[in-house]
Amino acid sequence: MTTEEKPEPGNAFDWIGGEARVQELVTRFYDLMDLEPAYKELRAAHGSDLTSAREKLFWFLCGWLGGPNHYIERFGHPRLRARHLPFKIGILERDQWLACMDQAMGEVGIDETLRARLRESFFGTADWMRNTPS
Ligand code: HEM
């Protein structure tokens, strides 16, 4: 490592900057879902009120990134694929979710190295959740 390179923090949760930054990311993600015509099918899959989705994604991401297990403490194992079975998830919905999250990561200024790694991990999870042939 050269002197200019900073060592990477221990896990993604610390790297992102803790709960306040995860909250910022989730807030921007759902604001964009509400605002951007490019995500309209994804938005339409959600109910009119995004409050519960905002809370749950925040709790989930804290643990998924290596921070506190807020989601598991409240709901047990995430079983994300099973919990998403009531919603149609094809390529279109998967790609809108990923694009919306990537835009949110960019706008809140997530470190670019971390953003690239999270983009890959989100892809794996979102693709595994597909439950509808497109
Ligand atoms: C990596 C990708 C994704 C992650 C990490 C994720 C995460 C979550 C989490 C943690 C919840 C709360 C689950 C619960 O306790 O009920 C949730 C709910 C939901 N997700 Fe996802 N999700 C992803 C992709 C998608 C996609 C592609 C769709 C497209 C339809 C979608 C639609 C929904 C809907 C409609 C809800 C219910 C929201 C509510 O409670 O009002 N998700 N998601």
Side-chain angles (χ1 to χ4, degrees), residues 42 45-46 52 56 60 71 84 87-89 93 97 126 129:
L42 177 63
H46 291 70
S52 141
K56 287 175 172 172
F60 171 79
Y71 185 93
H84 281 76
F87 318 116
K88 170 180 171 279
I89 303 186
E93 291 80 9
W97 196 101
M129 292 208 294

Side-chain angles (χ1 to χ4, degrees), residues 40-61:
K40 72 172 190 297
E41 286 83 4
L42 177 63
R43 178 64 189 85
H46 291 70
S48 57
D49 184 359
L50 292 173
T51 312
S52 141
R54 286 174 189 270
E55 271 182 351
K56 287 175 172 172
L57 186 61
F58 167 69
W59 288 328
F60 171 79
L61 284 183

Side-chain angles (χ1 to χ4, degrees), residues 72-89:
I72 291 177
E73 280 161 17
R74 287 166 175 83
F75 308 110
H77 191 284
R79 299 186 299 110
L80 273 196
R81 192 170 194 284
R83 289 192 208 263
H84 281 76
L85 285 177
F87 318 116
K88 170 180 171 279
I89 303 186

Side-chain angles (χ1 to χ4, degrees), residues 22-31 54 57-58 61:
V22 179
Q23 187 69 78
E24 245 185 277
L25 175 63
V26 169
T27 299
R28 193 62 195 144
F29 173 77
Y30 282 110
D31 286 353
R54 286 174 189 270
L57 186 61
F58 167 69
L61 284 183

Side-chain angles (χ1 to χ4, degrees), residues 11 19 21 39 44 60 81 91 98 108 110 113 115 134:
N11 66 33
E19 288 198 359
R21 295 284 285 152
Y39 311 133
F60 171 79
R81 192 170 194 284
I91 302 265
L98 292 168
V108 304
I110 304 291
T113 308
R115 181 182 176 191
S134 299

Side-chain angles (χ1 to χ4, degrees), residues 79-124:
R79 299 186 299 110
L80 273 196
R81 192 170 194 284
R83 289 192 208 263
H84 281 76
L85 285 177
F87 318 116
K88 170 180 171 279
I89 303 186
I91 302 265
L92 181 85
E93 291 80 9
R94 176 199 71 185
D95 288 351
Q96 287 189 5
W97 196 101
L98 292 168
C100 187
M101 180 54 77
D102 191 51
Q103 186 176 345
M105 289 197 289
E107 289 188 13
V108 304
I110 304 291
D111 173 89
E112 286 301 324
T113 308
L114 177 59
R115 181 182 176 191
R117 289 192 196 173
L118 293 178
R119 196 185 286 135
E120 264 186 49
S121 304
F122 281 132
F123 178 85

